[in-house]
Amino acid sequence: MAQLDAASGIEQALRYLAKGDAVQALRALDRVSWVDLGWPDYWRVRAEAFLMLGEARQAAKCAGEGLLEDPDNLELLVLYVRALLQGGEYQRAQDALNHALLVAPDNLELQSLADALESQPPHPAAPAKTVLTPPHRDSSPIKNSRWGKPPFTEAEARAIQRAFAGNSRAYPSVGKSKAPARRRWWGLLFPLMAMGLVAYWLWPQVVR
């Protein structure tokens, strides 16, 4: 196909758009010479065609290309906000709308887009991460799990500890191993057994 200059390609594309044929409009624009792609109207019509097809991301991209050439182009700004809003990019749409309202604060289409943005539900905040902390270990006396109170006061606890300490001094064998005592009994048992055997052998001789 022969290439078209920007004016001819835009004119053909607009005729197709008027018929609702966005695909043919894009095909006409694809024939425009690369030399003429800097025309803001080229990107505006291209954005309109993609928006008609429901391609919001591509429409926003084309409108953005045109705004690089003409940042205050009202038609491109309106298309850019519409495309971002349709694509769910609400923050970018709001930023573009704020700039557009500086250019044309009384524009009815911009006011309509502002109302559409305000009607969007707020984005839910990210849930806070739950930090698991180890349970607090209380050094106080063990609490009664039923009543939530200690079975005795701290003063009573200290008194009981002192009483146990005194008992351990009065009865030093408490808590100690019984193995040494058993060893002492076995040490006494063997001599006694030996003496008994000697007495058993000597007793008949004494009786005679």
Side-chain angles (χ1 to χ4, degrees):
M1 293 184 184
Q3 286 188 326
L4 300 173
D5 58 81
S8 299
I10 292 169
E11 183 179 356
Q12 287 187 17
L14 286 173
R15 286 200 298 267
Y16 284 122
L17 285 179
K19 298 175 182 178
D21 194 344
V23 174
Q24 289 298 328
L26 289 173
R27 287 176 179 172
L29 292 173
D30 287 341
R31 294 169 59 193
V32 172
S33 171
W34 285 91
V35 178
D36 295 335
L37 294 188
W39 284 40
D41 285 343
Y42 167 87
W43 293 108
R44 175 181 61 81
V45 177
R46 194 171 184 86
E48 288 179 353
F50 277 119
L51 203 57
M52 186 179 291
L53 292 172
E55 298 286 343
R57 182 172 295 181
Q58 288 295 330
K61 183 178 179 181
C62 292
E65 290 287 345
L67 289 170
L68 291 176
E69 302 293 333
D70 188 1
D72 295 334
N73 188 302
L74 182 58
E75 292 179 312
L76 280 170
L77 284 170
V78 170
L79 279 170
Y80 190 50
V81 175
R82 283 177 56 198
L84 292 173
L85 181 59
Q86 184 173 317
E89 300 185 55
Y90 303 126
Q91 186 56 55
R92 292 180 63 194
Q94 185 64 61
D95 294 341
L97 179 62
N98 293 340
H99 175 70
L101 287 172
L102 293 176
V103 175
D106 300 326
N107 184 273
L108 295 179
E109 193 166 4
L110 291 178
Q111 295 296 334
S112 177
L113 289 171
D115 294 339
L117 272 171
E118 288 180 1
S119 66
Q120 295 300 322
H123 298 292
K129 293 183 179 179
T130 302
V131 179
L132 298 177
T133 56
H136 175 67
R137 293 186 178 181
D138 193 354
S139 59
S140 61
I142 300 173
K143 294 184 177 181
N144 188 306
S145 60
R146 180 177 179 183
W147 302 106
K149 296 180 180 179
F152 40 79
T153 64
E154 293 186 7
E156 291 172 339
R158 288 195 293 271
I160 293 172
Q161 290 174 354
R162 287 196 297 271
F164 275 109
N167 288 339
S168 63
R169 288 192 294 270
Y171 302 98
S173 61
V174 176
K176 295 183 180 180
S177 172
K178 295 183 180 180
R182 287 198 295 267
R183 285 195 294 269
R184 287 195 297 271
W185 280 108
W186 279 108
L188 294 174
L189 183 60
F190 279 113
L192 290 174
M193 291 176 63
M195 293 173 62
L197 290 173
V198 172
Y200 175 78
W201 288 106
L202 292 178
W203 177 255
Q205 299 178 6
V206 172
V207 173
R208 292 177 192 173

